[in-house]
Every structure is written in structure tokens, then in C-alpha cells.
Amino acid sequence: MDNDDVLQRIKDIAGFEDSDTTLKAVIELIKARLLNLIDADKVPDELSYIVVDASISRFNRISDEGKTSSGENEVSATWQVDDLAPFLDDIDRWNVKHSTTGKGKVRFL
């Protein structure tokens, strides 16, 4: 999924309008962090949902960076520090599935 597809999907899901510049910056940051975790050059299609979901989460926190909790009347909000934390199990499974190390075959001739 390329950046324009991700951008459009986020705008469709979250109803963001006229936020292209900010969303593009958020998408690039999330992609860079994900690529670092999977040690790849391109986000695989099976993990593209992480870029969409984490970008929405990150975009929604703009202007509230660093907030750990907030409350007003009976409504409270707590932000997590790591946008990719909810996806770490999925990322780990992908890494294990696509690992080039580990079990291999040995042939003796």
C-alpha cells in the first residue's frame, strides 16, 4: 500500500479533511518506526493496517503529546507512549515468520 492509499484510507476511516501535510508526516514517521522493527525496506501489505491504525492514533494525539492522563467530569483519557505497542505481537509474529535465521537444513554428502 503506497502513501496515497494509506492517506486516503486514514481520511476515510477517521473523517479527516484538509490535513494532508500533517497526515503525510505522521504516516512517514509511523512507517519509519515500523520498518525499523521489521528490518525491511518496504512495509509489507500484510502489515499495512498497522500504518493506518497507528497513524490515526498518532494524529488524534497531536497537541496532547506527553499526556499520560486527563479527566473532565466522568470522562478520562490516557495516552500510551508507543504508537506501535498494540501491534508488537503482530510484528513479532511477522518477524518470526520471515526470519532468515533459526532452523535450517544441513545436508551431508
Side-chain angles (χ1 to χ4, degrees):
M1 186 178 300
D2 68 10
N3 284 353
D4 290 334
D5 293 334
V6 171
L7 178 64
Q8 189 58 50
R9 182 166 283 171
I10 291 169
K11 289 171 74 172
D12 291 344
I13 291 170
F16 299 143
E17 299 296 329
D18 302 323
S19 304
D20 287 11
T21 304
T22 304
L23 277 173
K24 285 178 181 179
V26 169
I27 291 166
E28 287 304 316
L29 290 171
I30 295 295
K31 276 187 170 185
R33 292 189 61 219
L34 179 58
L35 290 173
N36 186 48
L37 290 174
I38 64 172
D39 194 27
D41 296 327
K42 180 180 180 271
V43 174
D45 287 339
E46 62 264 32
L47 295 181
S48 63
Y49 73 94
I50 293 173
V51 175
V52 173
D53 288 349
S55 295
I56 291 170
S57 175
R58 178 66 186 95
F59 184 86
N60 284 334
R61 283 197 345 265
I62 291 176
S63 298
D64 282 335
E65 287 85 3
K67 182 188 286 187
T68 56
S69 67
S70 172
E72 186 174 316
N73 294 330
E74 294 182 21
V75 178
S76 65
T78 301
W79 306 121
Q80 62 191 31
V81 177
D82 186 356
D83 298 308
L84 297 178
F87 310 103
L88 289 180
D89 288 342
D90 296 345
I91 293 167
D92 288 342
R93 275 194 297 278
W94 189 90
N95 279 331
V96 167
K97 184 177 176 183
H98 294 87
S99 176
T100 57
T101 61
K103 294 182 180 178
K105 294 183 180 179
V106 177
R107 296 178 106 184
F108 295 97
L109 299 174

